[in-house]
Amino acid sequence: MPELTRRHALGAAATLAAVAASQSLSAPTATAAGHDHTRPEAFDEVYRGRRITGRPTSGSGHHHGAGYAVFIDGVELHVMRNADGSWISVVSHYDPVATPRAAARAAVVELQGAPLVPFGAN
């Protein structure tokens, strides 16, 4: 059996990495497969004592909002749609969720009763 050299080990590692990368690109991931890329429906509900609403907007709205506006007690919650179809808000930025409604609910939980302060997006 030939001696294993650093060059052979690096070559094998590179080959394995390339194969793994090509398989992950061709197979759908659970995160990407779990999100719907269509425009979400409007909602209006009271969640934990706070009025949360969401609706499609005409045009593109905020540059990241994908034509959708979310409000907590009448104050706009800045939301953003990620490339995989998940949603985040300015309040729960590091916790992506499947829908704007879920983003509003997560923000209500995070606010713990505090009022939402308007976000001056540039």
Side-chain angles (χ1 to χ4, degrees), residues 12-95:
T15 301
L16 286 173
V19 168
S22 69
Q23 288 177 349
S24 67
L25 289 176
S26 63
T29 62
T31 301
H35 295 288
D36 183 4
H37 291 278
T38 61
R39 183 177 268 191
E41 295 293 320
F43 65 91
D44 184 352
E45 69 182 35
V46 175
Y47 180 74
R48 295 191 177 192
R50 310 287 293 268
R51 167 78 57 192
I52 60 172
T53 58
R55 65 179 184 275
T57 59
S58 60
S60 62
H62 284 92
H63 62 285
H64 295 295
Y68 201 87
V70 175
F71 300 87
I72 298 176
D73 297 330
V75 178
E76 186 169 12
L77 172 68
H78 183 75
V79 295
M80 183 175 90
R81 191 166 207 176
N82 294 318
D84 68 353
S86 64
W87 291 80
I88 57 174
S89 77
V90 70
V91 175
S92 58
H93 195 80
Y94 297 105
D95 189 20

